[in-house]
């Protein structure tokens, strides 16, 4: 059975252009150099495509947390890699691939605020997956909202680290997940 494609490459490009337009309108004529903090690893393709369309001066950095295992969130967040840029009193834009329960971004926003005291934190996410939200967290700029709790793979989204390199977003079949499980065991 063919995979259920949720976002084609063309649709992804349209989303990135829309998000970039919104950010350009927010920052283009401001005398500020925002720090874009990409949340590894999922936000990498989105962040790389997005920054090429941004027309204001910016700095990039990355932070890494983990919370997912297989196809669901564990709810326990571990900080794996911290930022290296001094963001005190600066404008920060957190760039995330997806908001699901909201726990990851809730944690990150508080962590960054408490530890580094930036002037402002905005949240940008590629996909806002609404149904399993556990905390009241809203992104400032959203690529696309999804009202179904589908597990996605591709364009940064992974199944146990596999699939991030696929150029479109899809819902993997049970058969696909079994094949990946088998391959993972053998590697
Ligand atoms: P949250 O903490 O539940 O909001 O989850 C955020 C993180 O869970 C994201 O950064 C992703 O790494 C992961 N995640 C959430 N939904 C999916 C999905 O559909 N596919 C792959 N990873 C996901």
């Amino acid at each position: 059975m063919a995979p259920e494609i949720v976002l084609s490459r063309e649709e992804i490009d349209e989303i990135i252009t829309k998000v970039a337009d919104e950010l350009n309108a927010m920052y283009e004529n401001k005398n500020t150099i925002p720090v874009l903090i990409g949340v590894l690893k999922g936000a990498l393709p989105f962040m790389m495509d997005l920054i090429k369309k941004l027309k204001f001066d910016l700095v990039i950095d990355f932070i890494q947390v983990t919370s997912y295992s297989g196809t669901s969130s564990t709810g326990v967040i571990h900080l794996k890699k911290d930022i290296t840029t001094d963001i005190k009193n600066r404008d920060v834009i957190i760039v995330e691939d997806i908001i699901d329960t909201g726990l990851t971004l809730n944690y990150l926003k508080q962590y960054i605020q408490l530890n580094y005291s930036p002037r402002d934190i905005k949240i940008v996410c590629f996909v806002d997956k609404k149904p399993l939200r556990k905390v009241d967290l809203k992104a400032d700029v959203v690529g696309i909202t999804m009202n179904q709790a589908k597990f996605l793979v591709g364009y940064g989204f992974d199944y146990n680290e596999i699939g991030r390199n696929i150029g479109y977003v899809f819902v993997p079949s049970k058969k696909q997940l079994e094949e990946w499980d088998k391959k993972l065991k053998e590697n």
Side-chain angles (χ1 to χ4, degrees):
M1 210 173 78
E4 179 193 338
I5 296 183
V6 177
L7 296 171
S8 65
R9 182 66 237 189
E10 292 71 30
E11 287 166 327
I12 291 171
D13 287 342
E14 280 170 26
I15 291 169
I16 294 162
T17 302
K18 187 194 86 164
V19 170
D21 287 349
E22 281 187 49
L23 287 173
N24 285 330
M26 285 160 80
Y27 293 98
E28 211 175 354
N29 296 315
K30 267 190 171 177
N31 188 25
T32 172
I33 304 175
V35 182
L36 269 76
I37 302 180
V39 185
L40 293 172
K41 303 171 191 168
L44 204 59
F46 175 50
M47 174 122 156
M48 290 302 97
D49 285 340
L50 179 65
I51 56 171
K52 287 177 246 169
K53 293 185 182 249
L54 298 180
K55 297 177 186 160
F56 49 90
D57 293 323
L58 58 88
V59 168
I60 62 168
D61 204 334
F62 295 95
I63 198 161
Q64 186 174 9
V65 287
T66 54
S67 67
Y68 245 61
S69 174
T71 59
S72 61
S73 171
T74 63
V76 184
I77 295 147
H78 298 280
L79 183 76
K80 296 272 181 181
K81 182 216 167 294
D82 210 337
I83 50 168
T84 53
T85 311
D86 181 5
I87 58 168
K88 194 171 176 10
N89 295 326
R90 294 187 69 171
D91 287 337
V92 162
I93 306 170
I94 303 178
V95 182
E96 174 64 308
D97 55 352
I98 190 163
I99 310 179
D100 186 13
T101 62
L103 292 170
T104 303
L105 275 175
N106 200 42
Y107 167 87
L108 275 178
K109 205 176 171 185
Q110 282 179 35
Y111 174 82
I112 290 172
Q113 188 66 57
L114 289 174
N115 288 280
Y116 300 115
S117 307
R119 176 171 47 210
D120 180 55
I121 302 180
K122 295 265 185 286
I123 292 177
V124 174
C125 78
F126 176 56
V127 173
D128 188 354
K129 200 160 76 171
K130 294 271 191 202
L132 299 180
R133 197 60 52 83
K134 289 191 178 152
V135 285
D136 182 23
L137 185 113
K138 286 184 187 63
D140 299 278
V141 182
V142 173
I144 185 164
T145 302
M146 289 191 183
N147 293 314
Q148 283 176 300
K150 291 180 176 174
F151 177 72
L152 309 172
V153 170
Y155 195 66
F157 301 126
D158 71 306
Y159 173 68
N160 287 331
E161 299 297 330
I162 299 183
R164 295 191 198 277
N165 57 315
I166 298 165
Y168 52 89
V169 178
F170 67 104
V171 179
S173 63
K174 199 164 165 272
K175 188 164 164 272
Q176 173 69 81
L177 294 179
E178 284 164 4
E179 274 172 28
W180 278 333
D181 280 338
K182 186 165 174 280
K183 235 181 179 177
L184 279 163
K185 264 196 201 133
E186 291 163 2
N187 276 270

